[in-house]
Amino acid sequence: MDPYQLDDVDERLLSLLQENGRYTATDLAERIGVSDNTVHNRMRRLEEAGVITGYTATIDHKRTELSLYFLFTCTVRISRRSEMANEALAIPRVLEVTELMTGERNLLIKVVGAKDVEISRTAERLDELGIEVNDEDLIRAEHAVSLDYVRLRGLDSEE
């Protein structure tokens, strides 16, 4: 599949949506300098092209009493990696699964829970699926930034 060709308006739109997914079309139009209709059309095209894959809220799970946040480093057969990732996602308390391109330790699974027993039950469910848990780490905090497409384009032109 060929990559979708972003122009300046698309890049600015994506950067702003990552900053705040609740911006209205009017807010976005004003910030970008285009009409509301242009924003609606661009968003629809980016969604149809699979560039925008969804809209989510960021939740602080500790505020919901799910204070235990674990990263399980796991191993599964390479031929079943994607299948096992999807099965792991179906387990309650599993938030995210990352497939790695390695032979061993090729699945990272993030899990939340309120009590140790909940984390242990989740590990047992993974084991029942045939996912070998190699390591369990308590996550203290995660830090992330949104990708600034406009700034990125500027960096590319400097190189």
Side-chain angles (χ1 to χ4, degrees), residues 117-142:
V117 68
E118 294 170 349
I119 300 298
S120 295
R121 271 195 225 117
T122 302
E124 290 167 5
R125 296 267 318 264
L126 293 169
D127 186 58
E128 289 167 6
L129 288 175
I131 297 173
E132 179 184 345
V133 177
N134 304 108
D135 204 3
E136 301 176 29
D137 293 302
L138 179 63
I139 298 172
R140 179 174 176 255
E142 286 189 313

Side-chain angles (χ1 to χ4, degrees), residues 13-28:
L13 180 60
L14 291 174
S15 294
L16 288 167
L17 284 171
Q18 288 179 97
E19 177 184 305
N20 182 351
R22 293 185 61 152
Y23 278 137
T24 66
T26 303
D27 292 334
L28 293 166

Side-chain angles (χ1 to χ4, degrees), residues 1 22 27 34 41 45-46 76 81-82 84 89 91 106 112 114 118 121 131 147 149-150 154 158-159:
M1 175 183 288
R22 293 185 61 152
D27 292 334
V34 296
N41 289 336
R45 278 193 283 184
L46 290 166
V76 298
R81 184 175 37 214
S82 292
M84 293 288 96
L89 281 172
I91 297 173
N106 56 9
V112 294
E118 294 170 349
R121 271 195 225 117
I131 297 173
L147 185 59
Y149 282 91
V150 176
E158 292 174 8
E159 296 174 357

Side-chain angles (χ1 to χ4, degrees), residues 38-92:
T38 297
V39 167
H40 285 294
N41 289 336
R42 292 299 182 102
M43 287 179 66
R44 181 182 42 76
R45 278 193 283 184
L46 290 166
E47 290 166 0
E48 288 172 356
V51 174
I52 295 175
T53 59
Y55 301 88
T56 63
T58 303
I59 298 168
D60 182 349
H61 297 288
K62 289 179 184 175
R63 302 281 297 152
T64 66
E65 299 179 6
L66 297 174
S67 59
L68 298 177
Y69 186 28
F70 271 78
L71 172 66
F72 293 151
T73 304
C74 305
T75 300
V76 298
R77 292 182 51 162
I78 292 171
S79 62
R80 299 193 64 212
R81 184 175 37 214
S82 292
E83 174 190 350
M84 293 288 96
N86 287 324
E87 288 190 34
L89 281 172
I91 297 173

